Amino acid sequence: MQKVVFDKEFLWGCATASYQVEGAVEEHGRKPSIWDTFCEKPGAILNGNDGSVATDQYHRYKEDVSLMDELGFQAYRFSIAWPRIMPEGKGKVNEAGVSYYRNLCEELHAKGMKAVATLYHWDLPQILQDEGGWTNRETSYAFAAYAKVCYEQLGAYVDQWITLNEPFCSAYLGYLYGEHAPGHTNAREAFDAVHHLNLAHGLSVKEFRKIGLSTPIGITLNPIAPRPATRKPKDRKASELARAITTEVFLHPLMGKGYPSLVTETLKITFPVQANDMDIIAEPIDFIGLNYYNEGAVAYDEEEPFAYREVPVWQRTTDMNWPIVPYGLLRLLHYFDDETQGLPIYITENGCAANDVVEEGRVHDLMRCDYLNQHFAICKQAIDEGVKLKGYFVWSFLDNFEWAFGYSKRFGVVYVDYETQERIIKDSGYMMRDVISGYCEF
């Protein structure tokens, strides 16, 4: 046991995403997103769940902000639902949607918390998917127009902006593996989506700079950098290939390095790049967000599409069956620090699913407490080793709709009874309160 002390400027926050918590999918002008549609597909979501009610934060945001304040959080990372702001995907602005996010930000500010807004956490308006979604270059420009509206309407209320959350998931889980909306399994579509998501980010940052807002803007990636299974050169190559196809196709263009040669030359994958695209994508940002949950291991396998395969690992796992590898976070923090040449980093998601139960009005999620504490210690180690890590957002503030897993997996530091919408602070929530106040030893 040791006391780990963070600098007073270190930002402690919690995070959610619009479709996972808001509910109210048909209220006040909002129209369907790809997730509303995907949830209607038989077998797509465990138990046939959907986000139509979720945790009802659309109606309960004041209650939730009060709970955040009670736990001492300094910032709330939420996402803006594109179909609330521009129900048709482009064109007319829905004032009721804008008002909701203004009110949320004002409530946060009244409690002394920062509002950190993610522009896209996967809920693409269905009407744009009908026109090709992220396989259509025009979606990138529609996103930039939507982003501009958000900057103009909410710029005075938002303290920090994130363009995209985990474009890996949007491109690969949505268009290659079919696990997320829109549920396609087409490699060409996936690689087109990679580029158009990158382009959407760059275009939206350019719009931000034109408007002249002084708040910081960045992007959140979920880097996947599995370690090699053995010391064999081929397995090291497998690790490099995995990192290139999952992470560097996003990170390298952001940093002005173009698409990695391991992808374009070794794997012979092409992207629909047009003139000036790469300059647009590399528009300078103020920080980069990192989402981290686990690290795996890979071996070289030329029979696999990308020449690697995942292999079994030995670590304890969470309720998602994800291995608990705190040291993997340290590896990634140093990797990001090197690749971005010292750009400020925020951990925008970190946490774990656990089989939480209510016992006499309490939730004793000590496994989650242990998981978080191990990762906090890694954060401090990285800072001590020179990484410009500026903040940490726990995933998640609330139990919520966990995408294809429906309501079967709980990530929150606050428990939600989905029948009554009652909130119960878990032990991990109280532990976070102590960590933020500086009185927790681990």
Side-chain angles (χ1 to χ4, degrees):
M1 186 77 68
Q2 60 178 320
K3 184 156 179 81
V4 177
V5 180
F6 287 82
D7 190 276
K8 288 184 178 180
E9 280 68 49
F10 192 82
L11 185 67
W12 290 99
C14 55
T16 66
S18 49
Y19 191 73
Q20 293 182 272
V21 298
E22 284 180 0
V25 297
E26 296 180 349
E27 291 192 36
H28 301 147
R30 182 191 180 278
K31 288 194 174 180
S33 74
I34 54 174
W35 274 94
D36 296 289
T37 303
F38 190 59
C39 289
E40 294 176 354
K41 181 180 177 181
I45 310 297
L46 189 64
N47 300 320
N49 295 148
D50 61 41
S52 58
V53 176
T55 62
D56 197 31
Q57 189 169 87
Y58 188 80
H59 300 111
R60 298 171 182 264
Y61 71 90
K62 290 186 178 181
E63 174 188 354
D64 286 345
V65 171
S66 291
L67 280 174
M68 294 174 207
D69 180 50
E70 181 180 340
L71 296 178
F73 285 111
Q74 299 167 311
Y76 179 38
R77 178 185 172 230
F78 59 93
S79 74
I80 298 171
W82 189 345
R84 281 200 200 283
I85 301 297
M86 302 176 82
E88 302 295 335
K90 46 194 169 184
K92 187 177 179 181
V93 176
N94 178 30
E95 181 56 39
V98 172
S99 294
Y100 169 71
Y101 294 107
R102 265 194 211 123
N103 293 338
L104 172 60
C105 292
E106 288 182 334
E107 193 70 19
L108 289 165
H109 290 160
K111 299 291 188 181
M113 280 180 273
K114 289 185 176 182
V116 179
T118 301
L119 288 166
Y120 187 72
H121 200 132
W122 310 349
D123 41 5
L124 182 73
Q126 179 60 40
I127 194 167
L128 294 184
Q129 181 59 45
D130 294 341
E131 298 172 1
W134 290 111
T135 70
N136 182 354
R137 184 180 174 90
E138 290 305 309
T139 300
S140 305
Y141 292 92
F143 177 77
Y146 151 70
K148 181 181 179 183
V149 167
C150 291
Y151 303 147
E152 291 173 340
Q153 299 290 330
L154 299 169
Y157 301 86
V158 171
D159 301 289
Q160 197 162 332
W161 294 91
I162 295 169
T163 57
L164 307 177
N165 177 79
E166 298 183 353
F168 163 89
C169 294
S170 299
Y172 292 139
L173 299 188
Y175 290 93
L176 181 60
Y177 300 116
E179 297 172 10
H180 281 189
H184 295 190
T185 53
N186 183 299
R188 182 65 266 158
E189 288 188 354
F191 300 128
D192 288 353
V194 166
H195 183 65
H196 294 148
L197 284 155
N198 285 338
L199 181 62
H201 159 80
L203 290 167
S204 65
V205 176
K206 286 184 75 71
E207 290 294 341
F208 185 86
R209 301 301 182 202
K210 287 179 190 175
I211 291 173
L213 294 174
S214 60
T215 44
I217 187 168
I219 187 173
T220 280
L221 303 183
N222 57 320
I224 299 170
R227 59 191 181 273
T230 73
R231 296 175 66 175
K232 297 174 185 176
K234 280 194 172 183
D235 287 347
R236 288 200 296 271
K237 179 71 171 291
S239 176
E240 292 168 0
L241 284 166
R243 188 175 68 190
I245 192 70
T246 61
T247 300
E248 290 173 353
V249 293
F250 302 105
L251 182 58
H252 281 193
L254 287 171
M255 297 298 112
K257 301 175 184 178
Y259 288 108
S261 60
L262 278 174
V263 174
T264 58
E265 296 176 15
T266 304
L267 296 177
K268 308 298 184 185
I269 291 169
T270 60
F271 300 93
V273 180
Q274 295 188 17
N276 301 319
D277 281 5
M278 304 315 290
D279 290 337
I280 293 169
I281 293 167
E283 184 75 18
I285 53 179
D286 303 309
F287 67 90
I288 194 157
L290 187 162
N291 291 355
Y292 178 80
Y293 293 94
N294 66 90
E295 178 191 82
V298 292
Y300 186 80
D301 188 340
E302 60 185 14
E303 299 299 318
E304 292 293 323
F306 305 130
Y308 69 87
R309 59 181 167 82
E310 296 181 359
V311 297
V313 296
W314 59 270
Q315 288 91 349
R316 288 185 305 139
T317 59
T318 69
D319 200 40
M320 292 288 286
N321 202 34
W322 294 346
I324 301 172
V325 191
Y327 202 81
L329 175 58
L330 186 65
R331 283 189 274 267
L332 277 175
L333 285 167
H334 279 291
Y335 165 72
F336 263 50
D337 186 57
D338 290 341
E339 290 288 332
T340 67
Q341 296 186 323
L343 198 65
I345 300 171
Y346 290 84
I347 292 175
T348 39
E349 291 182 24
N350 176 241
C352 70
N355 185 23
D356 301 320
V357 294
V358 180
E359 298 174 320
E360 298 180 350
R362 294 291 302 273
V363 179
H364 302 298
D365 58 334
L366 296 182
M367 186 277 280
R368 181 178 289 108
C369 293
D370 183 51
Y371 175 100
L372 294 174
N373 282 335
Q374 291 180 62
H375 288 79
F376 297 154
I378 288 293
C379 290
K380 185 59 168 61
Q381 182 177 343
I383 293 169
D384 291 343
E385 292 173 359
V387 175
K388 292 181 181 177
L389 180 60
K390 299 299 184 181
Y392 175 101
F393 291 77
V394 67
W395 186 273
S396 173
F397 171 61
L398 296 169
D399 293 334
N400 54 54
F401 175 76
E402 185 47 41
W403 307 113
F405 292 92
Y407 296 98
S408 68
K409 305 297 181 183
R410 294 181 177 272
F411 276 85
V413 297
V414 174
Y415 182 95
V416 178
D417 182 322
Y418 297 121
E419 295 295 322
T420 66
Q421 296 295 341
E422 179 188 9
R423 275 79 160 134
I424 301 171
I425 298 173
K426 303 177 188 179
D427 284 358
S428 59
Y430 292 121
M431 184 205 71
M432 288 293 306
R433 182 187 64 187
D434 283 351
V435 169
I436 296 166
S437 68
Y439 287 92
C440 188
E441 296 183 358
F442 46 86

